């Protein structure tokens, strides 16, 4: 995950009740965050919980995902 201005990045999904702090990633260099979530299947929904410089945490879809939930809209 590339988030150069993030204060904190985590992975949230139904397995942790969308807890934005439940599975933190580690900053590995120049805005790159990495981590591993054991036991997830290839179609398990998840989002990145990114805390920005303003201190607010927002959920973001993975831009490199090969599968995404359909919201029902166009």
């Amino acid at each position: 995950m590339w988030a150069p201005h993030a204060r904190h990045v985590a992975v949230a999904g139904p397995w942790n009740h969308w807890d934005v702090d439940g599975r933190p990633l580690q900053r590995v260099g120049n805005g790159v965050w990495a981590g591993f979530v054991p036991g997830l299947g290839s179609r398990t929904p998840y989002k990145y919980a990114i805390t920005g410089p303003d201190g607010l945490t927002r959920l973001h879809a993975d831009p490199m995902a090969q599968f995404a939930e359909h919201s029902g809209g166009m």
Side-chain angles (χ1 to χ4, degrees), residues 20 47-60:
V20 298
K47 291 187 178 182
Y48 291 111
I50 301 173
T51 304
D54 58 3
L56 296 176
T57 300
R58 298 169 181 89
L59 291 174
H60 293 270

Side-chain angles (χ1 to χ4, degrees), residues 3-4 9-10 14 16-17 20 27 29 34 44 46 51 68:
V9 178
N16 69 358
H17 306 283
V20 298
R27 186 186 303 261
T44 302
Y46 69 93
T51 304

Side-chain angles (χ1 to χ4, degrees), residues 5-60:
H5 303 293
R7 289 185 184 176
H8 182 263
V9 178
V11 181
W15 72 90
N16 69 358
H17 306 283
W18 297 96
D19 178 3
V20 298
D21 293 314
R23 183 55 74 168
L25 301 181
Q26 300 296 315
R27 186 186 303 261
V28 295
N30 203 19
V32 177
W33 297 77
F36 178 73
V37 182
L40 295 186
S42 63
R43 292 188 173 243
T44 302
Y46 69 93
K47 291 187 178 182
Y48 291 111
I50 301 173
T51 304
D54 58 3
L56 296 176
T57 300
R58 298 169 181 89
L59 291 174
H60 293 270

